[in-house]
Amino acid sequence: MRASIIGSIDRPERIVAIEQVGQSLIVASSSSAARLERATLVPLLTDLEIEDFKQGWAFTATAMVALDGTTVPLSELVGLSLVRFTPLHEGGFLVAFANEKDRSAAGVARIDHQGHVVWMTRATPPATLSGVVSDARASEGWVLKTARPWTPGWWLIHDGHLGVSGDRAFAVFHDSSGLGLGYGLDLDTGRLVFQTEPAPWSELCAAPEAGSFLAGVQGYGAFETRLIDRTGAVRRTWPSHGRVVPGEPLRLIELDNTVPSTCRVATLDPSGAVRHGPNLTGYYTSPVIAAADGGSVFWRDGVLQSLSRDGTRLESLSSVAPLQFVSALGGTVPGIIAFAGPLDETPDDRVRTRTRLFVYELSAS
């Protein structure tokens, strides 16, 4: 595969998402959404405070706005601090809300295209959390041991921690330790079907079987992926964790907080075994795009690279020196892709962050 750079565009704010919507590649920042025409951004939506963007809809704190400017007020959800959402195949949206100042104001709601609430379920935090977090105290001779149970200070949700599979929704809320709970909900009614044990939940996506999810657990010594079925039962566990590569078989770009990296491309067998492929340097990994030939493309450790269909070969397509990590990637392979990351060394989602958008054309040869 060959990668040819078309150009780069600097923005004075963070880029929320890059998505292929119909025939257009859309770049959404924290205040606007624009159509990418090679190395030019054509404004579509402007002067917004965008919380999230998916499949042609921008969500603000008070409304959702389509690319044609259609605005749907979210009057029934005002004040809930919407933070994540995902479109539903059946129509409407699933939204997650949380508030740093009120840990009880966390939950999930289903809304229709008119912005009306179909159902709302609170994700009530436990009175105390406990688990794999370690602690050491001077009064105990600095001996490292499991921390005593504590009261969660707040209850928030990360990007990517809201998913849908078949008739189930799955949302993970957590506190400052990184430990959290997964809430399994009935998609039609919002009924709480199951609640997971506390864990440092990480990567989350729908599993091939409807109603099931692949949930990564990483941190405090944990490094695994769990297959959770529609009842909340853990059907299978693999000793690997990372971003899921689109398509079959189940394959991961491993992510682990070790330096130097010991990560590899990992294929998850139905038996629970893991077959490892090429080594991976670095840690931060962009979203992964499926290629037309069955392979995939992603950014990691300063390099845009492709993975072969069988998961055995990595190819470096282009070095991208200015970026320490990539927060959004979208497009088609072969075709035009774009990816973006912060230029600031310590980016903060709560302030304006300088961002660079790179645009590439990928061809089969």
Side-chain angles (χ1 to χ4, degrees), residues 10-16 28-33 48 341-342 351-356:
D10 285 358
R11 304 286 291 177
E13 56 193 352
R14 67 186 179 96
I15 288 178
V16 176
S29 72
S30 56
S31 67
S32 64
L48 297 175
V351 300
R352 294 177 71 86
T353 301
R354 297 182 306 124
T355 303
R356 182 162 295 170

Side-chain angles (χ1 to χ4, degrees), residues 101 212 262:
K101 298 180 181 179
S212 299
T262 58

Side-chain angles (χ1 to χ4, degrees), residues 284-323:
Y284 292 112
T285 302
S286 72
V288 183
I289 299 178
D293 64 359
S296 56
V297 170
F298 61 96
W299 177 99
R300 181 170 172 136
D301 197 25
V303 177
L304 182 66
Q305 45 196 309
S306 64
L307 176 65
S308 62
R309 180 177 182 176
D310 61 6
T312 63
R313 291 179 290 106
L314 279 175
E315 179 184 1
S316 295
L317 301 178
S318 180
S319 175
V320 191
L323 301 182

Side-chain angles (χ1 to χ4, degrees), residues 44-308:
L44 297 174
L45 303 175
T46 58
D47 299 324
L48 297 175
E49 292 185 7
I50 296 176
E51 300 285 345
D52 203 356
F53 180 91
K54 284 186 177 68
Q55 295 187 16
W57 287 89
F59 263 57
T60 72
T62 59
M64 54 185 187
V65 187
L67 290 173
D68 63 2
T70 300
T71 300
V72 179
L74 298 174
S75 55
E76 297 177 48
L77 298 174
V78 170
L80 289 180
S81 300
L82 304 182
V83 288
R84 302 289 173 236
F85 84 103
T86 186
L88 300 175
H89 292 301
E90 301 84 352
F93 303 88
L94 198 67
V95 300
F97 49 91
N99 190 314
E100 288 189 13
K101 298 180 181 179
D102 181 2
R103 71 189 188 96
S104 66
V108 179
R110 179 172 179 172
I111 62 176
D112 60 25
H113 274 95
Q114 287 72 48
H116 299 310
V117 173
V118 179
W119 53 256
M120 181 185 297
T121 301
R122 297 284 181 171
T124 305
T128 61
L129 269 177
S130 62
V132 296
V133 177
S134 298
D135 195 8
R137 301 169 186 266
S139 60
E140 299 171 349
W142 299 110
V143 175
L144 197 65
K145 61 182 183 180
T146 301
R148 297 163 181 163
W150 67 94
T151 300
W154 37 259
W155 209 232
L156 300 180
I157 185 168
H158 275 315
D159 186 24
H161 274 181
L162 178 66
V164 174
S165 175
D167 63 347
R168 290 289 182 263
F170 191 77
V172 174
F173 289 82
H174 64 95
D175 82 339
S176 57
S177 69
L179 251 64
L181 305 178
Y183 300 83
L185 307 174
D186 182 275
L187 191 59
D188 291 330
T189 65
R191 176 178 60 89
L192 179 65
V193 179
F194 64 85
Q195 183 173 296
T196 70
E197 63 179 359
W201 299 102
S202 187
E203 301 296 314
L204 169 70
C205 71
E209 182 181 340
S212 299
F213 296 87
L214 292 170
V217 182
Q218 193 270 334
Y220 301 109
F223 185 70
E224 63 185 41
T225 296
R226 300 176 185 176
L227 174 62
I228 300 175
D229 70 16
R230 61 193 306 276
T231 69
V234 178
R235 293 257 303 277
R236 194 166 294 110
T237 299
W238 293 271
S240 182
H241 162 270
R243 283 198 183 270
V244 174
V245 177
E248 296 182 353
L250 290 178
R251 186 167 288 139
L252 305 178
I253 305 298
E254 286 188 332
L255 305 173
D256 191 13
N257 296 329
T258 56
V259 179
S261 171
T262 58
C263 294
R264 290 175 286 177
V265 175
T267 301
L268 310 185
D269 288 339
S271 65
V274 177
R275 290 182 288 117
H276 283 108
N279 293 325
L280 296 159
T281 59
Y283 173 80
Y284 292 112
T285 302
S286 72
V288 183
I289 299 178
D293 64 359
S296 56
V297 170
F298 61 96
W299 177 99
R300 181 170 172 136
D301 197 25
V303 177
L304 182 66
Q305 45 196 309
S306 64
L307 176 65
S308 62

